[in-house]
Amino acid sequence: MASYPSKLLIDGVWQDAVSGETFPVTNPSTGAELVRIADASAEDVVLAIDAAERAQKSWAATPALERSRIIRRAAEIGRENIQRLAEILTEEQGKPVAQSIGEINYGLDFLDWFAEEGRRAYGTTVPSTGPDKRIVAIKQAAGISVAITPWNFPSLQILRKLGAALAAGCTMIVKPAALTPLSALEIGRFFTEAGLPDGVLQVITSSRASRVSPTLMQDTRIRVVSFTGSTEVGKILMREGADSMKRLSLELGGHAPFIVFDDADLEHTVNQAVAVKMRNMGQTCVSANRIYVQRGIAAEFSQRFVEKLRAMPIGDGIAPGTEVGPLVDAPAVAKVEEHVADALAKGAELLFGGHRPEGEEFANGHFYEPTVLRGVDSSMLVASEETFGPVAPIFEFDTEEEVIEQANNSPFGLAAYFFTRDVNRIVRVSEALEYGTVGANDGMISAVQAPFGGVKESGIGREGGHWGLDEYMDIKYISLAGLA
Ligand code: NAP
């Protein structure tokens, strides 16, 4: 049996929860318990904040070059251990190992990126109002930071926050999702091995977020909270952090439109649709939730799309060749079933899938077939709620104006995609979509150097690029007067 990390990381020491309580981590492919791990409560959180406070000043004062070396070393250790890390990620979360490797590599690339960006946290001098004055703006570490992360990318979501925080000179307390805490603990392990000083990183696992989060949100010593997860919880954190005026970075829910105009390169577009819809079994914030296809090509698009999905093997993510793993837990399957049943009851046509797969190998896991619905309209749940599963609802449209209006008719504004060969339309539609991230003929929008984030109820702030570092830095204006 593999060895899994199971204790909290506080002040460089692996320790049990003060209460001694533990909770189980299970494999969504088999239902088997992998390990029981420490279940933190508010007392552990206070210990973690105390440790971060002790480390904060010296970490901020550590030269950026030295911080950069440690972050890069951690990335190297991650790459040396990638197969084992990917298998642990797959065991706790479900996605096929090849996708876990992709996720971890992408997360480690963020470490490299921010290790370099931290060295370039340049200030500015501004022309002053008189000859005896100088105006200088410098960037400084904001202070202790917190990362609260979801289960869908258990490694990436932490690494891109942690890389930015550490490079900026901030200590960090990580609170991973209860369903997928093992990848977080492994990250703690390889940063410790890389020589990160004690107290700079704490990893607090807990089965009840609401038991630890108020302590984190109300403590005035914590200056930045970077949260990725649902809009509902993002709003709770905003309220909880109001009294201590937390700086928040919120990467929240999405409901991405994927628009196919009739002049699009259809083969390329179908391939992108499959990738955007099926990555992580549709459990991503940037997953295509509403596929709008111009009426004249809807039948051909649907047929080609279904053919590609039919060829994707379903199974345990650990098994070689698996392309579609399980959903993360039973409620996730129940939600998919509810959305499909609702669409069918309201008149959608089932083109493919629509069930849990049959067979002994699926009996104890949370599997659901890739599913395609056609004839979908705005009255159906799939049109407005995140399904967070492998369900592709196809809507048909006639004009550009009509589809832009429908695409923007959502409280969310994270990612949107559209496909066309018309250059003028590329500019028009890119600018008209009310989304933080737009893929024009591109479903693969992830890039460490780009500013990823949403507008409207999809959140506040940007991760990646030089923007990602700024989330963890304060700008200080220094007015120098009386100069000779
Ligand atoms: P979630 O329920 O909001 O949970 C996210 C994190 O918040 C988990 O660590 C969770 O802990 C914690 N949490 C839950 N309730 C909390 C509370 N009352 N106070 C403080 N923390 C709390 O989201 P999820 O179901 O894990 O993830 C799916 C959602 O994340 C989707 O809406 C998806 O679109 C969004 N997402 C957004 C992005 C982005 O970049 N914009 C990326 C990925 C996912 P527990 O695990 O213990 O509940």
PDB file of all heavy atoms in Angstrom, residues 55-62 67 118 121 138-145 164-172 221 223-224 247 469-476:
ATOM      1  N   ALA A  55       7.567  33.778  11.188  1.00  0.00           N
ATOM      2  CA  ALA A  55       8.430  33.642   9.999  1.00  0.00           C
ATOM      3  C   ALA A  55       8.310  34.830   9.029  1.00  0.00           C
ATOM      4  O   ALA A  55       9.175  35.026   8.180  1.00  0.00           O
ATOM      5  CB  ALA A  55       8.061  32.350   9.264  1.00  0.00           C
ATOM      6  N   GLN A  56       7.220  35.591   9.145  1.00  0.00           N
ATOM      7  CA  GLN A  56       6.895  36.563   8.089  1.00  0.00           C
ATOM      8  C   GLN A  56       7.991  37.604   7.849  1.00  0.00           C
ATOM      9  O   GLN A  56       8.415  37.824   6.711  1.00  0.00           O
ATOM     10  CB  GLN A  56       5.553  37.243   8.401  1.00  0.00           C
ATOM     11  CG  GLN A  56       5.122  38.307   7.407  1.00  0.00           C
ATOM     12  CD  GLN A  56       5.065  37.811   5.967  1.00  0.00           C
ATOM     13  OE1 GLN A  56       4.507  36.750   5.694  1.00  0.00           O
ATOM     14  NE2 GLN A  56       5.668  38.541   5.053  1.00  0.00           N
ATOM     15  N   LYS A  57       8.489  38.215   8.924  1.00  0.00           N
ATOM     16  CA  LYS A  57       9.461  39.319   8.735  1.00  0.00           C
ATOM     17  C   LYS A  57      10.717  38.830   8.036  1.00  0.00           C
ATOM     18  O   LYS A  57      11.213  39.447   7.100  1.00  0.00           O
ATOM     19  CB  LYS A  57       9.830  39.914  10.096  1.00  0.00           C
ATOM     20  CG  LYS A  57       8.984  41.094  10.472  1.00  0.00           C
ATOM     21  CD  LYS A  57       9.721  42.003  11.450  1.00  0.00           C
ATOM     22  CE  LYS A  57       8.846  43.189  11.783  1.00  0.00           C
ATOM     23  NZ  LYS A  57       8.301  43.180  13.107  1.00  0.00           N
ATOM     24  N   SER A  58      11.250  37.697   8.512  1.00  0.00           N
ATOM     25  CA  SER A  58      12.530  37.260   7.936  1.00  0.00           C
ATOM     26  C   SER A  58      12.335  36.748   6.510  1.00  0.00           C
ATOM     27  O   SER A  58      13.211  36.911   5.664  1.00  0.00           O
ATOM     28  CB  SER A  58      13.211  36.218   8.816  1.00  0.00           C
ATOM     29  OG  SER A  58      12.402  35.084   8.888  1.00  0.00           O
ATOM     30  N   TRP A  59      11.163  36.157   6.211  1.00  0.00           N
ATOM     31  CA  TRP A  59      10.934  35.704   4.822  1.00  0.00           C
ATOM     32  C   TRP A  59      10.818  36.913   3.886  1.00  0.00           C
ATOM     33  O   TRP A  59      11.383  36.936   2.804  1.00  0.00           O
ATOM     34  CB  TRP A  59       9.689  34.821   4.745  1.00  0.00           C
ATOM     35  CG  TRP A  59       9.424  34.294   3.361  1.00  0.00           C
ATOM     36  CD1 TRP A  59       8.366  34.584   2.570  1.00  0.00           C
ATOM     37  CD2 TRP A  59      10.248  33.386   2.615  1.00  0.00           C
ATOM     38  NE1 TRP A  59       8.468  33.920   1.374  1.00  0.00           N
ATOM     39  CE2 TRP A  59       9.625  33.174   1.368  1.00  0.00           C
ATOM     40  CE3 TRP A  59      11.464  32.742   2.867  1.00  0.00           C
ATOM     41  CZ2 TRP A  59      10.161  32.348   0.379  1.00  0.00           C
ATOM     42  CZ3 TRP A  59      12.000  31.913   1.889  1.00  0.00           C
ATOM     43  CH2 TRP A  59      11.346  31.725   0.663  1.00  0.00           C
ATOM     44  N   ALA A  60      10.122  37.949   4.340  1.00  0.00           N
ATOM     45  CA  ALA A  60       9.992  39.150   3.500  1.00  0.00           C
ATOM     46  C   ALA A  60      11.357  39.800   3.297  1.00  0.00           C
ATOM     47  O   ALA A  60      11.623  40.402   2.251  1.00  0.00           O
ATOM     48  CB  ALA A  60       9.014  40.132   4.135  1.00  0.00           C
ATOM     49  N   ALA A  61      12.233  39.659   4.318  1.00  0.00           N
ATOM     50  CA  ALA A  61      13.556  40.301   4.221  1.00  0.00           C
ATOM     51  C   ALA A  61      14.567  39.422   3.469  1.00  0.00           C
ATOM     52  O   ALA A  61      15.649  39.886   3.123  1.00  0.00           O
ATOM     53  CB  ALA A  61      14.080  40.593   5.622  1.00  0.00           C
ATOM     54  N   THR A  62      14.227  38.178   3.231  1.00  0.00           N
ATOM     55  CA  THR A  62      15.127  37.288   2.477  1.00  0.00           C
ATOM     56  C   THR A  62      15.245  37.823   1.046  1.00  0.00           C
ATOM     57  O   THR A  62      14.227  38.128   0.419  1.00  0.00           O
ATOM     58  CB  THR A  62      14.536  35.856   2.447  1.00  0.00           C
ATOM     59  OG1 THR A  62      14.385  35.420   3.798  1.00  0.00           O
ATOM     60  CG2 THR A  62      15.428  34.886   1.693  1.00  0.00           C
ATOM     61  N   ARG A  67      14.900  33.595  -2.294  1.00  0.00           N
ATOM     62  CA  ARG A  67      13.535  33.027  -2.317  1.00  0.00           C
ATOM     63  C   ARG A  67      13.326  32.288  -3.631  1.00  0.00           C
ATOM     64  O   ARG A  67      12.756  31.195  -3.680  1.00  0.00           O
ATOM     65  CB  ARG A  67      12.495  34.148  -2.171  1.00  0.00           C
ATOM     66  CG  ARG A  67      12.494  34.819  -0.808  1.00  0.00           C
ATOM     67  CD  ARG A  67      11.169  35.541  -0.547  1.00  0.00           C
ATOM     68  NE  ARG A  67      10.875  36.590  -1.502  1.00  0.00           N
ATOM     69  CZ  ARG A  67      11.037  37.896  -1.280  1.00  0.00           C
ATOM     70  NH1 ARG A  67      11.488  38.324  -0.110  1.00  0.00           N
ATOM     71  NH2 ARG A  67      10.738  38.776  -2.203  1.00  0.00           N
ATOM     72  N   GLY A 118       9.310  37.281  -9.003  1.00  0.00           N
ATOM     73  CA  GLY A 118       9.646  37.866  -7.698  1.00  0.00           C
ATOM     74  C   GLY A 118      10.914  38.691  -7.768  1.00  0.00           C
ATOM     75  O   GLY A 118      11.089  39.662  -7.033  1.00  0.00           O
ATOM     76  N   ALA A 121      10.083  42.456  -9.103  1.00  0.00           N
ATOM     77  CA  ALA A 121       8.990  43.233  -8.478  1.00  0.00           C
ATOM     78  C   ALA A 121       9.429  44.692  -8.406  1.00  0.00           C
ATOM     79  O   ALA A 121       9.643  45.258  -7.342  1.00  0.00           O
ATOM     80  CB  ALA A 121       8.686  42.665  -7.097  1.00  0.00           C
ATOM     81  N   ILE A 138       7.286  51.808  -4.158  1.00  0.00           N
ATOM     82  CA  ILE A 138       7.936  50.489  -4.053  1.00  0.00           C
ATOM     83  C   ILE A 138       6.887  49.425  -3.759  1.00  0.00           C
ATOM     84  O   ILE A 138       5.798  49.726  -3.259  1.00  0.00           O
ATOM     85  CB  ILE A 138       9.030  50.459  -2.957  1.00  0.00           C
ATOM     86  CG1 ILE A 138       8.436  50.753  -1.563  1.00  0.00           C
ATOM     87  CG2 ILE A 138      10.141  51.448  -3.281  1.00  0.00           C
ATOM     88  CD1 ILE A 138       9.396  50.446  -0.428  1.00  0.00           C
ATOM     89  N   LYS A 139       7.233  48.168  -4.088  1.00  0.00           N
ATOM     90  CA  LYS A 139       6.329  47.059  -3.786  1.00  0.00           C
ATOM     91  C   LYS A 139       6.899  46.274  -2.610  1.00  0.00           C
ATOM     92  O   LYS A 139       8.094  45.976  -2.594  1.00  0.00           O
ATOM     93  CB  LYS A 139       6.203  46.132  -4.995  1.00  0.00           C
ATOM     94  CG  LYS A 139       5.460  46.765  -6.152  1.00  0.00           C
ATOM     95  CD  LYS A 139       5.280  45.751  -7.269  1.00  0.00           C
ATOM     96  CE  LYS A 139       4.565  46.379  -8.451  1.00  0.00           C
ATOM     97  NZ  LYS A 139       4.446  45.434  -9.577  1.00  0.00           N
ATOM     98  N   GLN A 140       6.024  45.946  -1.661  1.00  0.00           N
ATOM     99  CA  GLN A 140       6.452  45.177  -0.494  1.00  0.00           C
ATOM    100  C   GLN A 140       5.492  44.018  -0.260  1.00  0.00           C
ATOM    101  O   GLN A 140       4.303  44.128  -0.594  1.00  0.00           O
ATOM    102  CB  GLN A 140       6.438  46.068   0.751  1.00  0.00           C
ATOM    103  CG  GLN A 140       7.504  47.148   0.732  1.00  0.00           C
ATOM    104  CD  GLN A 140       7.509  47.974   2.007  1.00  0.00           C
ATOM    105  OE1 GLN A 140       6.471  48.505   2.404  1.00  0.00           O
ATOM    106  NE2 GLN A 140       8.654  48.068   2.648  1.00  0.00           N
ATOM    107  N   ALA A 141       6.016  42.965   0.359  1.00  0.00           N
ATOM    108  CA  ALA A 141       5.163  41.810   0.685  1.00  0.00           C
ATOM    109  C   ALA A 141       3.981  42.269   1.530  1.00  0.00           C
ATOM    110  O   ALA A 141       4.150  43.044   2.475  1.00  0.00           O
ATOM    111  CB  ALA A 141       5.982  40.777   1.456  1.00  0.00           C
ATOM    112  N   ALA A 142       2.785  41.793   1.193  1.00  0.00           N
ATOM    113  CA  ALA A 142       1.593  42.245   1.913  1.00  0.00           C
ATOM    114  C   ALA A 142       1.513  41.669   3.326  1.00  0.00           C
ATOM    115  O   ALA A 142       0.894  42.251   4.205  1.00  0.00           O
ATOM    116  CB  ALA A 142       0.344  41.868   1.130  1.00  0.00           C
ATOM    117  N   GLY A 143       2.129  40.507   3.560  1.00  0.00           N
ATOM    118  CA  GLY A 143       2.076  39.895   4.890  1.00  0.00           C
ATOM    119  C   GLY A 143       1.620  38.448   4.801  1.00  0.00           C
ATOM    120  O   GLY A 143       1.740  37.812   3.749  1.00  0.00           O
ATOM    121  N   ILE A 144       1.070  37.950   5.896  1.00  0.00           N
ATOM    122  CA  ILE A 144       0.662  36.534   5.921  1.00  0.00           C
ATOM    123  C   ILE A 144      -0.517  36.329   4.959  1.00  0.00           C
ATOM    124  O   ILE A 144      -1.465  37.120   4.953  1.00  0.00           O
ATOM    125  CB  ILE A 144       0.233  36.111   7.342  1.00  0.00           C
ATOM    126  CG1 ILE A 144       1.349  36.398   8.353  1.00  0.00           C
ATOM    127  CG2 ILE A 144      -0.145  34.625   7.363  1.00  0.00           C
ATOM    128  CD1 ILE A 144       0.936  36.138   9.802  1.00  0.00           C
ATOM    129  N   SER A 145      -0.442  35.281   4.165  1.00  0.00           N
ATOM    130  CA  SER A 145      -1.525  35.007   3.218  1.00  0.00           C
ATOM    131  C   SER A 145      -2.129  33.623   3.480  1.00  0.00           C
ATOM    132  O   SER A 145      -1.520  32.778   4.142  1.00  0.00           O
ATOM    133  CB  SER A 145      -1.006  35.081   1.776  1.00  0.00           C
ATOM    134  OG  SER A 145      -0.073  34.055   1.533  1.00  0.00           O
ATOM    135  N   ALA A 164       3.276  32.488  -6.170  1.00  0.00           N
ATOM    136  CA  ALA A 164       3.175  33.953  -6.167  1.00  0.00           C
ATOM    137  C   ALA A 164       3.415  34.504  -4.758  1.00  0.00           C
ATOM    138  O   ALA A 164       4.159  35.473  -4.576  1.00  0.00           O
ATOM    139  CB  ALA A 164       1.802  34.373  -6.681  1.00  0.00           C
ATOM    140  N   ALA A 165       2.793  33.875  -3.766  1.00  0.00           N
ATOM    141  CA  ALA A 165       2.909  34.374  -2.387  1.00  0.00           C
ATOM    142  C   ALA A 165       4.368  34.322  -1.919  1.00  0.00           C
ATOM    143  O   ALA A 165       4.906  35.310  -1.403  1.00  0.00           O
ATOM    144  CB  ALA A 165       2.024  33.545  -1.458  1.00  0.00           C
ATOM    145  N   LEU A 166       5.002  33.175  -2.107  1.00  0.00           N
ATOM    146  CA  LEU A 166       6.376  33.022  -1.616  1.00  0.00           C
ATOM    147  C   LEU A 166       7.320  33.970  -2.354  1.00  0.00           C
ATOM    148  O   LEU A 166       8.208  34.569  -1.755  1.00  0.00           O
ATOM    149  CB  LEU A 166       6.847  31.570  -1.784  1.00  0.00           C
ATOM    150  CG  LEU A 166       6.071  30.514  -0.983  1.00  0.00           C
ATOM    151  CD1 LEU A 166       6.677  29.137  -1.221  1.00  0.00           C
ATOM    152  CD2 LEU A 166       6.057  30.843   0.513  1.00  0.00           C
ATOM    153  N   ALA A 167       7.124  34.103  -3.655  1.00  0.00           N
ATOM    154  CA  ALA A 167       8.004  34.985  -4.438  1.00  0.00           C
ATOM    155  C   ALA A 167       7.845  36.435  -3.999  1.00  0.00           C
ATOM    156  O   ALA A 167       8.797  37.206  -4.005  1.00  0.00           O
ATOM    157  CB  ALA A 167       7.687  34.848  -5.924  1.00  0.00           C
ATOM    158  N   ALA A 168       6.637  36.795  -3.586  1.00  0.00           N
ATOM    159  CA  ALA A 168       6.383  38.175  -3.149  1.00  0.00           C
ATOM    160  C   ALA A 168       6.934  38.435  -1.751  1.00  0.00           C
ATOM    161  O   ALA A 168       7.006  39.579  -1.319  1.00  0.00           O
ATOM    162  CB  ALA A 168       4.879  38.451  -3.175  1.00  0.00           C
ATOM    163  N   GLY A 169       7.273  37.360  -1.025  1.00  0.00           N
ATOM    164  CA  GLY A 169       7.769  37.517   0.344  1.00  0.00           C
ATOM    165  C   GLY A 169       6.692  37.301   1.398  1.00  0.00           C
ATOM    166  O   GLY A 169       6.858  37.702   2.547  1.00  0.00           O
ATOM    167  N   CYS A 170       5.596  36.663   1.003  1.00  0.00           N
ATOM    168  CA  CYS A 170       4.512  36.370   1.958  1.00  0.00           C
ATOM    169  C   CYS A 170       4.625  34.931   2.458  1.00  0.00           C
ATOM    170  O   CYS A 170       4.911  34.026   1.675  1.00  0.00           O
ATOM    171  CB  CYS A 170       3.144  36.512   1.297  1.00  0.00           C
ATOM    172  SG  CYS A 170       2.778  38.173   0.735  1.00  0.00           S
ATOM    173  N   THR A 171       4.363  34.718   3.730  1.00  0.00           N
ATOM    174  CA  THR A 171       4.171  33.355   4.220  1.00  0.00           C
ATOM    175  C   THR A 171       2.766  32.935   3.816  1.00  0.00           C
ATOM    176  O   THR A 171       1.926  33.780   3.464  1.00  0.00           O
ATOM    177  CB  THR A 171       4.306  33.285   5.750  1.00  0.00           C
ATOM    178  OG1 THR A 171       3.376  34.217   6.323  1.00  0.00           O
ATOM    179  CG2 THR A 171       5.720  33.642   6.182  1.00  0.00           C
ATOM    180  N   MET A 172       2.480  31.630   3.862  1.00  0.00           N
ATOM    181  CA  MET A 172       1.153  31.186   3.431  1.00  0.00           C
ATOM    182  C   MET A 172       0.636  30.023   4.289  1.00  0.00           C
ATOM    183  O   MET A 172       1.402  29.140   4.680  1.00  0.00           O
ATOM    184  CB  MET A 172       1.201  30.759   1.957  1.00  0.00           C
ATOM    185  CG  MET A 172      -0.157  30.342   1.415  1.00  0.00           C
ATOM    186  SD  MET A 172      -0.190  30.232  -0.391  1.00  0.00           S
ATOM    187  CE  MET A 172      -1.198  31.654  -0.796  1.00  0.00           C
ATOM    188  N   ARG A 221      -3.942  39.498  11.662  1.00  0.00           N
ATOM    189  CA  ARG A 221      -2.564  39.295  11.194  1.00  0.00           C
ATOM    190  C   ARG A 221      -2.534  38.797   9.749  1.00  0.00           C
ATOM    191  O   ARG A 221      -1.532  38.941   9.064  1.00  0.00           O
ATOM    192  CB  ARG A 221      -1.842  38.297  12.108  1.00  0.00           C
ATOM    193  CG  ARG A 221      -1.607  38.853  13.511  1.00  0.00           C
ATOM    194  CD  ARG A 221      -1.055  37.806  14.439  1.00  0.00           C
ATOM    195  NE  ARG A 221      -2.032  36.753  14.734  1.00  0.00           N
ATOM    196  CZ  ARG A 221      -1.775  35.671  15.469  1.00  0.00           C
ATOM    197  NH1 ARG A 221      -0.564  35.482  15.968  1.00  0.00           N
ATOM    198  NH2 ARG A 221      -2.720  34.772  15.702  1.00  0.00           N
ATOM    199  N   ARG A 223      -3.304  39.115   5.958  1.00  0.00           N
ATOM    200  CA  ARG A 223      -3.596  40.261   5.100  1.00  0.00           C
ATOM    201  C   ARG A 223      -4.220  39.888   3.769  1.00  0.00           C
ATOM    202  O   ARG A 223      -4.934  40.684   3.164  1.00  0.00           O
ATOM    203  CB  ARG A 223      -2.308  41.077   4.845  1.00  0.00           C
ATOM    204  CG  ARG A 223      -1.682  41.704   6.076  1.00  0.00           C
ATOM    205  CD  ARG A 223      -2.652  42.478   6.987  1.00  0.00           C
ATOM    206  NE  ARG A 223      -3.662  43.220   6.265  1.00  0.00           N
ATOM    207  CZ  ARG A 223      -4.938  43.348   6.659  1.00  0.00           C
ATOM    208  NH1 ARG A 223      -5.356  42.803   7.786  1.00  0.00           N
ATOM    209  NH2 ARG A 223      -5.798  44.012   5.947  1.00  0.00           N
ATOM    210  N   VAL A 224      -3.900  38.697   3.254  1.00  0.00           N
ATOM    211  CA  VAL A 224      -4.388  38.321   1.923  1.00  0.00           C
ATOM    212  C   VAL A 224      -5.053  36.957   2.007  1.00  0.00           C
ATOM    213  O   VAL A 224      -4.506  36.029   2.613  1.00  0.00           O
ATOM    214  CB  VAL A 224      -3.223  38.212   0.906  1.00  0.00           C
ATOM    215  CG1 VAL A 224      -3.738  37.835  -0.478  1.00  0.00           C
ATOM    216  CG2 VAL A 224      -2.414  39.491   0.847  1.00  0.00           C
ATOM    217  N   ARG A 247      -7.534  41.626   2.103  1.00  0.00           N
ATOM    218  CA  ARG A 247      -7.416  41.743   0.654  1.00  0.00           C
ATOM    219  C   ARG A 247      -7.776  40.371   0.070  1.00  0.00           C
ATOM    220  O   ARG A 247      -7.224  39.348   0.462  1.00  0.00           O
ATOM    221  CB  ARG A 247      -6.001  42.099   0.270  1.00  0.00           C
ATOM    222  CG  ARG A 247      -5.972  42.390  -1.233  1.00  0.00           C
ATOM    223  CD  ARG A 247      -4.633  42.266  -1.790  1.00  0.00           C
ATOM    224  NE  ARG A 247      -3.741  43.276  -1.288  1.00  0.00           N
ATOM    225  CZ  ARG A 247      -2.662  43.634  -1.974  1.00  0.00           C
ATOM    226  NH1 ARG A 247      -2.432  43.104  -3.138  1.00  0.00           N
ATOM    227  NH2 ARG A 247      -1.827  44.494  -1.475  1.00  0.00           N
ATOM    228  N   LEU A 469       1.520  38.194  -9.133  1.00  0.00           N
ATOM    229  CA  LEU A 469       2.406  38.579  -8.031  1.00  0.00           C
ATOM    230  C   LEU A 469       1.815  39.766  -7.270  1.00  0.00           C
ATOM    231  O   LEU A 469       1.898  39.842  -6.044  1.00  0.00           O
ATOM    232  CB  LEU A 469       3.780  38.955  -8.603  1.00  0.00           C
ATOM    233  CG  LEU A 469       4.902  39.076  -7.592  1.00  0.00           C
ATOM    234  CD1 LEU A 469       5.291  37.703  -7.063  1.00  0.00           C
ATOM    235  CD2 LEU A 469       6.112  39.749  -8.222  1.00  0.00           C
ATOM    236  N   ASP A 470       1.198  40.684  -8.017  1.00  0.00           N
ATOM    237  CA  ASP A 470       0.662  41.902  -7.393  1.00  0.00           C
ATOM    238  C   ASP A 470      -0.411  41.598  -6.348  1.00  0.00           C
ATOM    239  O   ASP A 470      -0.649  42.410  -5.446  1.00  0.00           O
ATOM    240  CB  ASP A 470       0.083  42.847  -8.457  1.00  0.00           C
ATOM    241  CG  ASP A 470       1.182  43.483  -9.294  1.00  0.00           C
ATOM    242  OD1 ASP A 470       2.346  43.472  -8.854  1.00  0.00           O
ATOM    243  OD2 ASP A 470       0.877  43.963 -10.403  1.00  0.00           O
ATOM    244  N   GLU A 471      -1.077  40.448  -6.477  1.00  0.00           N
ATOM    245  CA  GLU A 471      -2.109  40.096  -5.490  1.00  0.00           C
ATOM    246  C   GLU A 471      -1.517  39.989  -4.080  1.00  0.00           C
ATOM    247  O   GLU A 471      -2.237  40.059  -3.096  1.00  0.00           O
ATOM    248  CB  GLU A 471      -2.760  38.751  -5.844  1.00  0.00           C
ATOM    249  CG  GLU A 471      -3.421  38.707  -7.215  1.00  0.00           C
ATOM    250  CD  GLU A 471      -4.732  39.469  -7.279  1.00  0.00           C
ATOM    251  OE1 GLU A 471      -5.485  39.423  -6.288  1.00  0.00           O
ATOM    252  OE2 GLU A 471      -4.998  40.109  -8.314  1.00  0.00           O
ATOM    253  N   TYR A 472      -0.201  39.758  -3.996  1.00  0.00           N
ATOM    254  CA  TYR A 472       0.440  39.534  -2.694  1.00  0.00           C
ATOM    255  C   TYR A 472       1.374  40.669  -2.302  1.00  0.00           C
ATOM    256  O   TYR A 472       2.178  40.527  -1.404  1.00  0.00           O
ATOM    257  CB  TYR A 472       1.236  38.206  -2.735  1.00  0.00           C
ATOM    258  CG  TYR A 472       0.327  37.032  -2.968  1.00  0.00           C
ATOM    259  CD1 TYR A 472       0.026  36.609  -4.264  1.00  0.00           C
ATOM    260  CD2 TYR A 472      -0.259  36.367  -1.895  1.00  0.00           C
ATOM    261  CE1 TYR A 472      -0.840  35.550  -4.491  1.00  0.00           C
ATOM    262  CE2 TYR A 472      -1.119  35.303  -2.111  1.00  0.00           C
ATOM    263  CZ  TYR A 472      -1.406  34.907  -3.417  1.00  0.00           C
ATOM    264  OH  TYR A 472      -2.263  33.868  -3.621  1.00  0.00           O
ATOM    265  N   MET A 473       1.283  41.804  -3.025  1.00  0.00           N
ATOM    266  CA  MET A 473       2.191  42.909  -2.731  1.00  0.00           C
ATOM    267  C   MET A 473       1.418  44.196  -2.482  1.00  0.00           C
ATOM    268  O   MET A 473       0.406  44.453  -3.121  1.00  0.00           O
ATOM    269  CB  MET A 473       3.166  43.119  -3.901  1.00  0.00           C
ATOM    270  CG  MET A 473       3.963  41.863  -4.217  1.00  0.00           C
ATOM    271  SD  MET A 473       5.560  42.183  -5.002  1.00  0.00           S
ATOM    272  CE  MET A 473       6.606  42.439  -3.573  1.00  0.00           C
ATOM    273  N   ASP A 474       1.931  44.982  -1.526  1.00  0.00           N
ATOM    274  CA  ASP A 474       1.380  46.327  -1.305  1.00  0.00           C
ATOM    275  C   ASP A 474       2.259  47.323  -2.047  1.00  0.00           C
ATOM    276  O   ASP A 474       3.475  47.134  -2.147  1.00  0.00           O
ATOM    277  CB  ASP A 474       1.430  46.679   0.187  1.00  0.00           C
ATOM    278  CG  ASP A 474       0.411  45.897   0.986  1.00  0.00           C
ATOM    279  OD1 ASP A 474      -0.639  45.544   0.409  1.00  0.00           O
ATOM    280  OD2 ASP A 474       0.672  45.627   2.170  1.00  0.00           O
ATOM    281  N   ILE A 475       1.644  48.384  -2.532  1.00  0.00           N
ATOM    282  CA  ILE A 475       2.424  49.465  -3.138  1.00  0.00           C
ATOM    283  C   ILE A 475       2.573  50.556  -2.094  1.00  0.00           C
ATOM    284  O   ILE A 475       1.580  50.996  -1.496  1.00  0.00           O
ATOM    285  CB  ILE A 475       1.718  50.019  -4.388  1.00  0.00           C
ATOM    286  CG1 ILE A 475       1.668  48.921  -5.463  1.00  0.00           C
ATOM    287  CG2 ILE A 475       2.444  51.263  -4.907  1.00  0.00           C
ATOM    288  CD1 ILE A 475       0.885  49.303  -6.683  1.00  0.00           C
ATOM    289  N   LYS A 476       3.811  50.932  -1.839  1.00  0.00           N
ATOM    290  CA  LYS A 476       4.047  52.033  -0.889  1.00  0.00           C
ATOM    291  C   LYS A 476       4.593  53.229  -1.650  1.00  0.00           C
ATOM    292  O   LYS A 476       5.556  53.114  -2.408  1.00  0.00           O
ATOM    293  CB  LYS A 476       5.036  51.604   0.177  1.00  0.00           C
ATOM    294  CG  LYS A 476       5.311  52.703   1.195  1.00  0.00           C
ATOM    295  CD  LYS A 476       6.301  52.247   2.248  1.00  0.00           C
ATOM    296  CE  LYS A 476       5.637  51.299   3.247  1.00  0.00           C
ATOM    297  NZ  LYS A 476       6.618  50.722   4.165  1.00  0.00           N
TER     298      LYS A 476
END
